[in-house]
């Protein structure tokens, strides 16, 4: 360190001792500050000195200015590179650190499944249709060939809307998606042949491990000139293999629905070990059958020329078998620990 006259030498020491850029800035200000910097003041005072003294003092201050400026610049560079050096050691990336997982939303498994069903049936030539959840007895029952006093109309099962205007055609929450069969076939200009599916919510006064007051159905309808029961079975078997499991075990039983003749039901075998009580048991997942001639007549299709079949899968029940979920109510509790698994 070069030696300067006092007090400049003291400043050189201060500069060397400053431990941070902020400290250094403070020393710089003490020296060169425009108003009260020590060196600034000293330079200002030069003018008031006698000639000889001014020369000597001027040289001294000039040497000090050069030396101090250089010392500040050097110290600043030193401090900066020290900072970078410590950053290099402190700012390392620990790839083993267990960081909190960033939450990302995803579709509820029922909705994802409904999309998948659209694809599976889409590949077999089915269109996707929709219908309202708020319906009337006409679509829920009458046009589907239910007799006027059929037990299914009982308010024990169906959610009726209070204050319906027409007591002969009460409003209700649809109890099955078969309502959409009628709406689809009634559409102006719709002529067979056609294949459609409709997925949506349905409502029934039911609640236990395999029933919920709201659940989802996939309705299917295929009408054409020579559509047979064998076609129906082939399509439905393809559907369950794709939508449940390639090796799913199923069985057919006869079933009864006013809007089919004949009617069938398909059961899938429970294959979970999570719920031992269900193991080996059969779960009914779909009702189906050949569309009743009266239903075709009701929508203006000649049953002598056209036949068809219809089916109604229970979405949650298919998912129960697919993922071995023992209780259907799990779908609707909103428990994230359950939902995150899918
Ligand atoms: N709608 C019937 C139900 O909900 C299922 C079904 C649909 C049966 C189509 C036959 C044909 O139980």
């Amino acid at each position: 360190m070069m030696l300067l006259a006092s007090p400049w030498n003291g400043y050189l020491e201060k500069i060397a001792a400053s431990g941070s850029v902020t400290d250094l800035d403070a020393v710089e200000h003490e020296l060169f500050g425009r108003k009260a910097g020590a060196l600034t003041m000293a330079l200002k005072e030069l003018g008031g000195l006698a000639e000889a003294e001014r020369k000597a003092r001027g040289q001294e201050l000039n040497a000090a200015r050069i030396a101090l400026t250089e010392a500040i610049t050097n110290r600043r560079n030193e401090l900066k590179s020290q900072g970078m050096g410590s950053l290099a050691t402190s700012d390392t990336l620990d790839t083993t650190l267990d960081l909190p997982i960033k939450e990302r939303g995803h579709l509820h498994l029922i909705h994802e499944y409904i999309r998948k069903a659209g694809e599976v049936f889409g590949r077999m030539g089915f269109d996707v249709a929709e219908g309202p959840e708020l319906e009337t007895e006409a679509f829920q029952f009458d046009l589907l060939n239910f007799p006027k006093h059929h037990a299914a109309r009982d308010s024990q099962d169906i959610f009726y809307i209070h204050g319906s205007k027409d007591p002969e055609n009460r409003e209700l929450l649809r109890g099955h998606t078969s309502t959409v069969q009628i709406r689809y076939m009634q559409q102006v200009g719709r002529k067979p042949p056609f294949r459609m599916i409709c997925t949506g919510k349905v409502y029934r006064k039911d609640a236990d491990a395999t029933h919920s007051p709201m659940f989802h159905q996939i309705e299917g309808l295929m009408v054409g000139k020579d559509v047979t029961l064998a076609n129906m079975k082939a399509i439905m078997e393809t559907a369950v293999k794709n939508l449940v499991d390639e090796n799913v075990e199923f069985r057919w039983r006869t079933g009864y629905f006013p809007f089919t003749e004949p009617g069938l039901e398909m059961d899938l075998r429970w294959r979970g070990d999570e719920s031992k009580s269900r193991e080996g048991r059969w779960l009914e997942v779909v009702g189906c059958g050949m569309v009743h001639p009266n239903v075709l007549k009701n929508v203006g299709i000649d049953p002598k020329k056209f036949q068809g079949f219809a089916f109604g899968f229970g979405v949650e029940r298919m998912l129960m078998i697919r993922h071995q979920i023992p209780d259907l109510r799990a779908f609707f509790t909103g428990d994230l620990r359950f939902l995150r698994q899918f």
Side-chain angles (χ1 to χ4, degrees):
M1 191 188 291
M2 84 180 277
L3 221 56
L4 297 173
S6 169
W8 314 121
N9 209 40
Y11 282 108
L12 279 180
E13 279 163 21
K14 258 189 159 176
I15 291 166
S18 54
S20 69
V21 175
T22 332
D23 289 352
L24 185 62
D25 286 344
V27 183
E28 186 176 33
H29 189 74
E30 264 180 65
L31 279 165
F32 296 104
R34 274 224 226 153
K35 282 191 184 148
L39 201 66
T40 316
M41 305 280 279
L43 286 164
K44 270 187 195 158
E45 282 158 13
L46 271 183
L49 298 177
E51 167 108 49
E53 209 186 332
R54 188 166 72 218
K55 205 174 166 207
R57 178 78 170 152
Q59 279 171 356
E60 177 210 315
L61 293 183
N62 202 36
R65 187 180 55 80
I66 291 167
L68 289 166
T69 311
E70 195 185 293
I72 288 173
T73 310
N74 290 344
R75 184 64 189 148
R76 176 161 284 127
N77 288 339
E78 245 171 58
L79 286 170
K80 275 191 187 154
S81 71
Q82 263 174 29
M84 296 304 277
S86 68
L87 197 65
T89 48
S90 69
D91 196 29
T92 51
L93 185 68
D94 183 353
T95 51
T96 66
L97 258 188
D98 215 2
L99 294 172
I101 295 162
K102 259 209 169 152
E103 297 273 351
R104 277 180 81 205
H106 61 81
L107 287 180
H108 189 281
L109 86 148
I110 290 177
H111 280 103
E112 201 193 300
Y113 199 61
I114 283 173
R115 283 195 186 178
K116 191 176 157 72
E119 281 167 29
V120 167
F121 282 105
R123 285 201 292 271
M124 295 191 280
F126 284 72
D127 283 342
V128 176
E130 267 184 44
E133 289 171 28
L134 179 60
E135 270 292 5
T136 59
E137 268 183 284
F139 289 96
Q140 169 80 25
F141 296 123
D142 300 84
L143 292 161
L144 284 165
N145 198 39
F146 281 79
K148 243 330 181 222
H149 299 289
H150 193 280
R153 298 187 188 238
D154 200 331
S155 59
Q156 296 273 311
D157 300 323
I158 292 289
F159 291 100
Y160 284 97
I161 306 296
H162 282 300
S164 295
K165 279 172 227 95
D166 183 355
E168 290 298 301
N169 188 20
R170 289 172 290 172
E171 288 175 302
L172 45 81
L173 291 176
R174 71 179 175 198
H176 56 183
T177 41
S178 300
T179 51
V180 187
Q181 289 184 35
I182 302 294
R183 290 191 173 271
Y184 185 85
M185 292 192 284
Q186 274 191 344
Q187 262 170 27
V188 185
R190 173 86 61 205
K191 290 205 176 67
F194 48 70
R195 305 175 191 196
M196 77 90 186
I197 61 157
C198 154
T199 55
K201 295 186 171 75
V202 299
Y203 302 84
R204 287 182 205 171
K205 290 183 181 172
D206 255 342
D208 62 35
T210 53
H211 296 87
S212 150
M214 185 281 288
F215 60 100
H216 295 78
Q217 284 191 328
I218 303 172
E219 189 82 15
L221 175 69
M222 175 168 172
V223 176
K225 276 226 155 74
D226 0 75
V227 178
T228 65
L229 200 69
N231 296 145
M232 180 188 88
K233 283 181 151 183
I235 282 180
M236 291 175 63
E237 287 176 16
T238 307
V240 290
K241 281 183 179 163
N242 279 281
L243 288 169
V244 178
D245 184 84
E246 180 64 34
N247 302 313
V248 68
E249 278 184 76
F250 54 83
R251 69 177 185 194
W252 294 100
R253 282 184 294 110
T254 49
Y256 170 74
F257 306 96
F259 40 98
T260 60
E261 185 53 43
L264 292 177
E265 284 177 30
M266 186 198 234
D267 299 335
L268 300 185
R269 194 196 277 279
W270 185 262
R271 38 171 211 135
D273 41 36
E274 279 180 38
S275 160
K276 292 266 183 283
S277 65
R278 283 191 192 287
E279 198 147 11
R281 276 173 43 189
W282 296 95
L283 189 63
E284 181 201 327
V285 293
V286 52
C288 55
M290 297 304 287
V291 180
H292 197 290
N294 288 350
V295 174
L296 294 175
K297 276 188 216 149
N298 287 342
V299 294
I301 294 174
D302 183 351
K304 295 222 172 65
K305 287 193 188 138
F306 296 102
Q307 314 88 51
F309 63 80
F311 55 81
F313 282 98
V315 171
E316 286 79 0
R317 288 184 171 197
M318 289 215 281
L319 279 166
M320 286 172 79
I321 305 272
R322 182 178 163 93
H323 296 296
Q324 291 149 42
I325 299 165
D327 193 326
L328 174 147
R329 288 167 290 199
F331 292 108
F332 307 116
T333 54
D335 187 335
L336 292 178
R337 289 167 306 177
F338 171 76
L339 296 173
R340 279 195 190 114
Q341 298 175 87
F342 306 100

